[in-house]
């Protein structure tokens, strides 16, 4: 039997193991100048002269990216804690109001890949500055939207504008920061994402309770303006960026190669499914806590987003989980944890709901950390585009989860949203089981025909 007879993915046939296996090797280095991704590789030669802790520019760059992360995620999910208030004021159903969140995430999902290509040509710094400025200006107009249609339209355009930040930030850091200092710089950017996402929801909840949802969105707009100004003042000029004039054909070839890889497609699907659960739960939870039997006020209901801190801890421990269980084992653990949280949250007791949210949040962040890291691990070339495709799938999952989760809540209450979440995690588990069986078949074939794999 030849290696091809097992149906193994192109990545495995090329000699790379399934990255969901604990024994998988790291990815091979991209070929220099390989199409659309070569701009991201230009930082490889900057290790001797790149920024580092204690050196000039490192602290400025780290703080600038932290401010960008806060602004991006405070804006992206700014209406999520306000959905009950928006529904009541504009007299719309939960599924209709949920599009103020889903529109923004869908806009980001559609724009992140094209903007990643623009960042290769015009520079990460320029694209991030333009994205944050445009998004902050739109945020100033959002509180004055006269109706739901206008609000959703503004939020969708805002999501498109925000896509420039995730499309550029990681590549910017990789190019300008020394390899040994990169983890710390990326960690600060991710911390900004978490703090922005969490504080934006909490601030809007309390401001809305005092002065209404429009004032809450105004407060987030002012926060975004301040963060954008801080970013622009602090961010240093790029020293190691090399423009790449990769045309649409090169980009399409790179993207087509990724989408034809079954392994990457499985990882994209897993990321989207986990985010479907997370988007559904956190879009609807405000309605759940405001309705009977809880009847919590807006500010207290918004404070539930403090549970995001659990996700930060889960992301940090994902590496140890993978070391102990392997990548597929870690995904199974994430699925079980998320499903258990959904089931626990069905009880009509506030302690059970909060415990369920803790489990869902921990499971989601662990699953997302494993899937997203596996994309970078398995993409042999075009890693910037591979990551952008993962982000696109991730935010499509967020949009679908928010919209369909709210629709399920409107039709069947919280049990309807839980049923949607369980369907998504069971599907993610099925994909992981399928990957496990393929890996086992591949391993048996390697053992039976070592010479064929040695030649591949």
């Amino acid at each position: 039997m030849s290696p091809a007879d097992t149906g193994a993915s192109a990545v495995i046939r090329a000699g790379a193991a399934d990255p969901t296996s604990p024994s998988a090797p790291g990815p091979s280095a991209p070929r220099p100048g390989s199409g659309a991704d070569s701009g991201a590789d230009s930082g490889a030669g900057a290790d001797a002269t790149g920024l580092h802790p204690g050196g000039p520019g490192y602290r400025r760059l780290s703080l600038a990216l932290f401010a960008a992360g806060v602004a991006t995620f405070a804006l992206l999910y700014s209406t999520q804690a306000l959905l009950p208030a928006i529904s009541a004021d504009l007299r719309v159903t939960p599924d209709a109001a949920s599009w103020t969140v889903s529109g923004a995430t869908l806009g980001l999902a559609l724009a992140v890949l094209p903007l990643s290509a623009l960042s290769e040509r015009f520079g990460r710094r320029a694209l991030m500055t333009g994205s944050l400025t445009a998004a902050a200006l739109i945020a100033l107009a959002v509180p004055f939207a006269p109706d739901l249609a206008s609000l959703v339209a503004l939020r969708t355009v805002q999501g498109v504008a925000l896509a420039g930040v995730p499309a550029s930030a990681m590549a910017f850091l990789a190019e300008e920061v020394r390899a040994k200092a990169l983890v710390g710089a990326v960690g600060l950017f991710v911390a900004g994402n978490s703090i922005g996402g969490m504080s934006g929801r909490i601030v809007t909840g309390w401001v809305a309770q005092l002065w209404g949802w429009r004032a809450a969105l105004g407060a987030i707009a002012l926060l975004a303006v301040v963060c954008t100004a801080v970013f622009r003042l602090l961010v240093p000029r790029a020293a190691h960026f090399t423009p790449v004039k990769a045309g649409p054909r090169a980009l399409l070839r790179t993207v087509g190669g990724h989408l034809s890889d079954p392994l990457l497609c499985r990882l994209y699907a897993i990321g989207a499914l986990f985010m479907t659960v997370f988007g559904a739960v956190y879009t609807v939870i405000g309605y759940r806590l405001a309705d009977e039997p809880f009847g919590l006020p807006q500010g207290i209901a918004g404070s539930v987003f403090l549970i995001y801190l659990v996700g930060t801890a889960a992301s940090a421990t994902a590496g140890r989980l993978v070391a102990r269980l392997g990548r597929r084992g870690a995904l199974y653990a994430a699925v079980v944890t998320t499903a258990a949280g959904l089931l626990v949250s069905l009880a009509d007791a506030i302690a059970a709901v909060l415990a369920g949210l803790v489990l869902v949040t921990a499971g989601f962040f662990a699953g997302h950390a494993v899937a997203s890291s596996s994309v970078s691990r398995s993409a042999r070339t075009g890693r910037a585009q591979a990551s952008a495709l993962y982000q696109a799938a991730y935010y499509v999952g967020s949009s679908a989860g928010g919209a369909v989760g709210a629709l399920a809540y409107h039709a069947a209450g919280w049990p309807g949203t839980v049923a949607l979440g369980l369907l998504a995690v069971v599907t993610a588990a099925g994909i992981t089981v399928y990957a496990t069986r393929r890996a086992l078949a591949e391993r048996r074939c390697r053992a039976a025909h070592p010479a064929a794999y040695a030649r591949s």
Side-chain angles (χ1 to χ4, degrees):
M1 180 188 300
S2 69
D5 292 334
T6 66
S9 71
V11 170
I12 296 175
R13 286 197 299 270
D18 187 335
T20 58
S21 167
S23 61
S28 60
R31 296 184 300 274
S34 58
D37 195 47
S38 56
D41 297 332
S42 62
D47 203 42
T49 58
L51 302 177
H52 59 91
Y58 176 84
R59 181 175 297 233
R60 290 181 58 197
L61 178 62
S62 297
L63 292 176
L65 269 291
F66 177 84
V70 170
T72 299
F73 285 86
L75 288 174
L76 187 62
Y77 293 103
S78 59
T79 61
Q80 195 169 59
L82 303 175
L83 294 179
I86 292 172
S87 289
D89 185 46
L90 299 182
R91 298 181 181 181
V92 295
T93 59
D95 53 299
S98 72
W99 277 102
T100 63
V101 180
S102 295
T105 54
L106 183 60
L108 190 152
L110 295 175
V112 67
L113 185 61
L115 290 184
S116 73
L118 287 180
S119 80
E120 302 283 0
R121 184 165 187 174
F122 298 107
R124 327 299 185 188
R125 181 176 181 265
L127 186 63
M128 293 179 71
T129 300
S131 292
L132 288 170
T133 302
L137 291 175
I138 295 169
L140 293 172
V142 165
F144 302 100
D147 51 36
L148 182 66
S150 302
L151 182 58
V152 171
L154 283 170
R155 292 278 295 149
T156 302
V157 175
Q158 190 175 54
V160 171
L162 286 170
V165 178
S168 307
M170 294 302 181
F172 190 24
L173 288 171
E175 290 165 356
E176 303 300 325
V177 176
R178 291 186 186 180
K180 291 184 178 180
L182 184 59
V183 172
V186 170
L188 196 56
F189 174 64
V190 172
N193 296 349
S194 299
I195 291 173
M198 180 183 67
S199 62
R201 292 162 168 102
I202 294 173
V203 167
T204 54
W206 284 104
V207 173
Q209 183 173 318
L210 296 172
W211 296 294
W213 65 271
R214 294 181 185 275
L217 291 178
I220 294 300
L222 293 178
L223 172 65
V225 169
V226 171
C227 287
T228 300
V230 169
F231 173 83
R232 186 63 185 87
L233 288 171
L234 292 180
V235 64
R237 292 186 178 275
H240 304 102
F241 172 73
T242 301
V244 176
K245 295 183 179 180
R249 290 185 179 179
L251 178 62
L252 289 175
R253 280 196 303 270
T254 302
V255 171
H258 293 328
L259 293 179
S260 65
D261 185 335
L263 173 58
L264 286 176
C265 287
R266 289 197 296 270
L267 293 171
Y268 297 152
I270 288 172
L273 288 164
F274 269 108
M275 192 56 179
T276 297
V277 181
F278 197 67
V281 166
Y282 276 97
T283 295
V284 171
I285 192 61
Y287 293 101
R288 163 83 159 147
L289 296 177
D291 289 346
E292 295 300 329
F294 307 116
L296 297 182
Q298 180 82 56
I300 295 176
S303 296
V304 76
F305 290 99
L306 281 168
I307 292 175
Y308 261 52
L309 294 174
V310 173
T312 303
S315 297
T317 59
R320 291 197 293 271
L321 188 65
V322 168
R324 177 172 297 182
L325 302 177
R327 292 183 179 268
R328 286 190 296 273
L331 286 175
Y332 288 132
V335 164
V336 170
T337 303
T338 305
L342 290 169
L343 293 172
V344 168
S345 71
L346 286 169
D348 286 335
I350 190 65
V353 172
L354 294 178
L357 288 176
V358 167
L359 291 172
V360 167
T361 303
F364 160 73
F365 274 97
H368 167 50
V370 174
S372 60
S373 63
S374 294
V375 169
S376 297
R377 187 182 178 94
S378 59
R380 297 173 64 83
T381 58
R383 288 193 180 109
Q385 284 67 45
S387 296
L389 283 170
Y390 178 84
Q391 290 181 58
Y394 176 85
Y395 285 110
V396 166
S398 177
S399 298
V404 181
L407 186 63
Y409 183 81
H410 182 61
W414 184 251
T417 303
V418 168
L420 170 68
L422 290 173
L423 176 63
V425 293
V426 167
T427 305
I431 293 172
T432 309
V433 168
Y434 175 75
T436 301
R437 295 183 63 182
R438 289 175 71 91
L440 290 173
E442 179 70 23
R443 190 174 301 170
R444 287 193 296 268
C445 192
R446 280 180 179 273
H449 305 279
Y453 280 92
R455 292 193 301 269
S456 64

